[in-house]
Structures are given as C-alpha cells and as structure tokens.
Amino acid sequence: MLKKSLKDLSVDHQKILMRVDLNLPLDPEGVIANDHRLQEALLTIKYLLEKDCAIILMSHLNRPKGKFESKLSLKVCAQRLNTLLNKEVKMAPDCIGEEVNTLKESLKCGEILMLENLRFHSEETNGSGEDFAKELSKGCDIFINDAFGCCHRNQASIVDVPKFFPQKAVAGLLLEKELRYFQDYILNPQKHLCAIIGGAKISTKIGVLKSLIQKVDTLLIGGAMANTFLKAQGRSLGKSLVEDEYIQAAKEILKECESKRINLVLPQDLLFTDQISSDGQTQILGINDPIEEHLIAVDMGPLTIDAFSKALEPSQIIFWNGPLGICEIKPFSYGTQKIAQKLSQINAIKVIGGGDSAAAIEKLGLQDSFDHISTGGGASIELIEKGHLPGVNALSNKD
Ligand code: ADP
Ligand code: 3PG
Ligand code: MG
C-alpha cells in the first residue's frame, strides 16, 4: 500500500484519534442486532492497548440530521465494547466542545474514550467540515482511519481530519486488511475469479458490474438483479422487480460478457409467489414457461442452484455481493442458503461484500468458512467501481 499504515509509526504511549465504523444495525428496541463491525475493530484497538496508547474513538451511527437524538447515541456501542474487552470505556457527552476537550486531556495511557455520534453535528456531512475536523483533532497525536465502511464518504471525520495530522494520518489494521483483500484478489486477480452478484437493484450495482466484467472469468447473476437481465433477453416476469430503465445497460453487459468470453450464468428457473410473505402460494417455473401476470420471482429454482454450483467449481477466488432471493423471508431463502453452503465447501479465497449478504451468511452460521467478510457495503462497491476511495486518498503517503 502507498499509504502509511499503523505499523509504519511508533505509537507507544501516544494519544490516538481513531475513526471507526460503529454504524451497527440496531433492533427496534435499540439493541445491537449485529456487532460484526465492532468485532473487526478490535484488531486495532487491542494492538493500541498493547502499546499502552490512550484511545479516542469516533464514529457516526445511522443518519441523524445534525442534532442530538438519544436513540442514536453511541453509548450502546461503548457498552458493547466494554463487555467485549472487559474494560471501562468512557463515554463523552458530545464529540467536540470544552467538556470533551477536558475528557481528552485527562485520558491516560491504556484508557478508552468514545466520542458521541459525529452526525449530531451537521458539519460532519455538509461538506464544510474543516473547523469541525480541527476541533475533533484537538489534543491528539496520531489519526488512525479504521472505518473502511465509511471511506467512500467525503465527510469531515474521513477526509478533513487527516489534514490536521501531517505524516501521522494512517490506515488501521482493519482498513489495511480490507484494502488488501479487494486490491489483491478482486481488483488484480491472479487466478480464476468468479463474482456472484445479487440483491435488489441493478441501479445500485451497475458500476460494480461494469468494473467486474473487466476482471472476472465467471459471473453469476441472481436476486432481483437477474430479473432485469432476463427481461433484457426478452423474457416476461409477471410482477417481479425489474428496473426497466436499466434494460439497455443490461443488454450492453450481456454483449460485453459474450465478447470477453465470460462464463455468465443467469437463472434458468425461479421460485414465484403470489405475495411477498411466507403465506404466499409458490411455484417453480422455468424462465421460458409462460408466467402469469400476478406472479413475483423471489428465489432461484433447483436448476439454477445446480448451474451456479457447477459454475463455481473451477473458481480460485470468489466474490459475493447480494442475496440471491428475498432471503429475509424463510421460504424464499433456499437459493441463498444452498449457494452459501456450496461455497463453504469450496477451496477458494472467498470474499463477501454487502451488509445483507454478510447478515445472511452469519444467520446460517457459515461466517467462519469465508476468508473475508467485508465491513463495508457501499465502500466495497465504490472501491471495485473506481479503484480508490476518498478516505484512503486523504491519508499520509508512505515515506
Ligand atoms: P447487500 O446489502 O448484500 O449489498 P443489497 O442491499 O443489494 O445486498 O440487496 C439485498 C436485498 O435484495 C434484500 O433485502 C433482498 O430481499 C433483496 N432481494 C433479493 N432478491 C430479490 C428478489 N428476487 N426480489 C426482490 N428483492 C430481492
Ligand atoms: C455504512 O453503513 O455503509 C457506513 O457506515 C456508511 O453509512 P452511510 O451510508 O450512512 O454514510
Ligand atoms: Mg443492502
């Protein structure tokens, strides 16, 4: 990596300002539904504790619009960190201001302070955050960005804070690991690369698809994403989710896959329902069968599961983004489940991107059979699409 990383600096006994991505999913009661991002941040936090650093953590949580909202306080993350480390995590009442400065000053080596939600201040997101960033950086010796999931955002804590740490704005261990997986295996694959792309909308992933077809040997398209491709091939799909304005883009991708001799696999059969609920009447239909107007495609059928499974076999690197059906609803989760199980048995480097895909794999308890489950959905997509991220560009260059 051309950017400085944590291990390029001597950090012993330093006061560290660290941007983490603690934008964790909360359930309606405000309880953390999944702490994957926090677990992954432990790598750097533990390293800094070993070096006897004073650690100041900052993050956003969800999208408050520049004012305090008690249900979006980072207190819940501070408490979970406290439990995971079995160590006190002090909670600041805000992320900037006199009181926070005093807390920062009095923080001793080996102690941890969590700043309050950055997005309680509109300066974090409104594009004019330099003064805010200067306030955040007060009293700290080194800045570490370990928030891979936020590196695609041009926001104060990501792109402005580094300006106040010349030569000392570095990538944390998680950020470094994320970049290594994407750069070495997806952006510059040296071996047979297969991408499985699913999820709800082609519109959010068109850029990543265009970039991936420059890299992959095999491309499997499922989920609602596949519907637009099937429609582009002239098939009718009843009431299934199709983005008509992307049919032309889908046609171009199909053409390019052909000219590049990419092994493109689209669904051959689908599970249809008459309503998106577990009470729906379902039936499996081939893509050439007549599809009644009221039916909705919600999962792949057995022929497709077989075709995907076979196509996966020669792969040495596999990147998966996007569930292959409406996997939140049990009767529509079979395809996602079968492909996750197949992947768990394949000997390849396996990388998952996307919050919903990661959640589906964790729900199946298969997370340990993957090499890397990215903490960034939007960030990983933008990295694949553009090859770089603003948050990484903002860090200090290696000497
Ligand atoms: P990720 O978060 O992994 O990037 P996305 O956000 O792109 O994934 O897509 C996840 C969503 O896609 C899920 O909510 C899932 O229900 C939806 N989805 C998958 N297949 C279909 C389908 N056939 N019809 C409608 N929605 C679908
Ligand atoms: C994410 O959850 O993708 C990151 O934390 C970024 O959050 P945002 O999409 O609200 O900027
Ligand atoms: Mg998602």
Side-chain angles (χ1 to χ4, degrees), residues 70-304:
S70 60
K71 62 179 197 310
L72 296 181
S73 167
L74 276 167
K75 223 178 257 171
V76 65
C77 297
Q79 279 161 357
R80 178 62 62 92
L81 182 59
N82 177 324
T83 309
L84 292 173
L85 291 172
N86 193 19
K87 176 178 178 59
E88 187 196 2
V89 178
K90 295 178 197 253
M91 186 66 214
D94 201 343
C95 58
I96 54 167
E98 276 315 305
E99 209 180 332
V100 176
N101 290 342
T102 311
L103 283 171
K104 280 163 136 181
E105 266 162 43
S106 58
L107 194 72
K108 297 193 195 71
C109 290
E111 291 186 337
I112 304 177
L113 172 68
M114 177 84 71
L115 302 185
E116 191 48 284
N117 194 336
L118 294 161
R119 291 188 184 168
F120 289 165
H121 292 261
S122 54
E123 296 87 338
E124 166 65 357
T125 52
N126 70 8
S128 59
E130 278 214 20
D131 292 342
F132 177 63
K134 191 173 177 186
E135 276 296 303
L136 288 170
S137 61
K138 263 193 187 150
C140 304
D141 305 309
I142 289 171
F143 171 66
I144 297 176
N145 184 345
D146 218 17
F148 173 71
C150 310
C151 280
H152 59 315
R153 298 289 182 225
N154 270 303
Q155 299 182 349
S157 62
I158 299 290
V159 295
D160 292 319
V161 168
K163 296 174 191 162
F164 300 96
F165 293 89
Q167 311 302 320
K168 289 188 174 178
V170 303
L173 303 178
L174 171 61
L175 177 54
E176 223 190 334
K177 177 175 155 204
E178 293 269 13
L179 295 173
R180 183 161 27 88
Y181 268 99
F182 284 100
Q183 258 144 20
D184 293 358
Y185 298 118
I186 318 293
L187 291 170
N188 302 294
Q190 303 297 319
K191 300 177 185 174
H192 187 116
L193 171 64
C194 169
I196 312 171
I197 304 295
K201 290 189 166 178
I202 183 172
S203 49
T204 59
K205 294 186 184 168
I206 192 78
V208 84
L209 275 169
K210 283 185 182 162
S211 171
L212 280 170
I213 55 178
Q214 313 307 320
K215 324 261 179 213
V216 296
D217 304 285
T218 302
L219 179 61
L220 313 182
I221 300 182
M225 177 82 59
N227 298 344
T228 303
F229 283 90
L230 293 172
K231 189 137 183 217
Q233 289 179 329
R235 268 102 184 190
S236 58
L237 285 141
K239 270 218 204 101
S240 308
L241 178 56
V242 172
E243 287 177 279
D244 285 319
E245 45 314 356
Y246 283 87
I247 287 180
Q248 188 50 36
K251 280 185 183 164
E252 283 160 22
I253 289 175
L254 289 171
K255 217 165 126 196
E256 202 168 341
C257 283
E258 207 179 312
S259 70
K260 287 189 154 40
R261 294 175 192 276
I262 291 169
N263 181 23
L264 171 70
V265 186
L266 285 168
Q268 299 170 5
D269 58 350
L270 292 160
L271 179 80
F272 286 86
T273 184
D274 58 356
Q275 53 171 304
I276 300 183
S277 99
S278 41
D279 304 326
Q281 285 281 336
T282 60
Q283 57 185 304
I284 289 162
L285 294 168
I287 50 157
N288 293 319
D289 292 341
I291 312 287
E292 286 177 66
E293 264 317 300
H294 69 290
L295 293 177
I296 312 163
V298 286
D299 198 3
M300 8 201 248
L303 292 176
T304 309

Side-chain angles (χ1 to χ4, degrees), residues 21 23 37 60 62-63 119 149-150 152-153 155 377-378:
D21 184 1
N23 186 23
R37 284 175 166 167
H60 73 283
N62 214 308
R63 296 177 176 176
R119 291 188 184 168
C150 310
H152 59 315
R153 298 289 182 225
Q155 299 182 349

Side-chain angles (χ1 to χ4, degrees), residues 205 354-357:
K205 294 186 184 168
D356 292 295
S357 320

